[in-house]
Amino acid sequence: MNEGATQQAPGKGEVVSETPRSPDTTMVTVVYALYLASFVVGFTSVIGVVIAYSYGGSGPTWLDEHYRYQIRTFWIGLLYASVATLLTLIVIGFPLLLALAVWFIVRCVKGFKGVQEKRAPHHVDSWLL
């Protein structure tokens, strides 16, 4: 009898899948959504970065790169926001805060697009876009 031709029937509760499963991108998408929601509810980006730290390293490389991108976006954004807030004392901080908001939104949109295309975001190590 050919051993490769026989398949054992799955037991109760077992699921046999013939096709490879695509990785779950729900939490990556949730983090990007939390980041964007922080414009309305200020603290959601903190929840998002905690999720990114929790789920990072648990999926394929391209998905882990998204978590890394999200973590970097949070910390770089916090640094930029701190500097821009200090510079509001000499008025230049206001346009910098506006530029920061645009930067943050663009990074989130680029991340969403990368998740939909199932690829890592471009320029993960960049401090810009």
Side-chain angles (χ1 to χ4, degrees), residues 83-94:
V83 171
T85 301
L86 284 173
L87 290 174
T88 57
L89 298 173
I90 57 171
V91 184
I92 190 73
F94 294 109

Side-chain angles (χ1 to χ4, degrees), residues 23-24 27-28 51-61 63-65 67:
D24 185 18
M27 293 314 291
V28 169
I51 292 171
Y53 272 115
S54 299
Y55 281 84
S58 62
T61 304
L63 200 55
D64 288 341
E65 286 296 304
Y67 289 122

Side-chain angles (χ1 to χ4, degrees), residues 21-69:
R21 289 183 34 198
S22 143
D24 185 18
T25 59
T26 305
M27 293 314 291
V28 169
T29 305
V30 165
V31 173
Y32 286 123
L34 287 169
Y35 278 7
L36 291 175
S38 69
F39 285 103
V40 179
V41 184
F43 63 88
T44 58
S45 60
V46 174
I47 296 169
V49 79
V50 168
I51 292 171
Y53 272 115
S54 299
Y55 281 84
S58 62
T61 304
W62 69 268
L63 200 55
D64 288 341
E65 286 296 304
H66 275 281
Y67 289 122
R68 191 165 152 254
Y69 185 71

Side-chain angles (χ1 to χ4, degrees), residues 5-6 8 16-18 21-22 28 32-33 36 46 59-60 67 70-71 77 83 87-88 94 101 103 108 112 116-117:
T6 60
Q8 197 172 17
V16 175
S17 176
E18 295 295 325
R21 289 183 34 198
S22 143
V28 169
Y32 286 123
L36 291 175
V46 174
Y67 289 122
Q70 292 167 335
I71 291 166
V83 171
L87 290 174
T88 57
F94 294 109
W103 173 85
C108 288
F112 271 127
Q116 288 177 343
E117 295 172 357

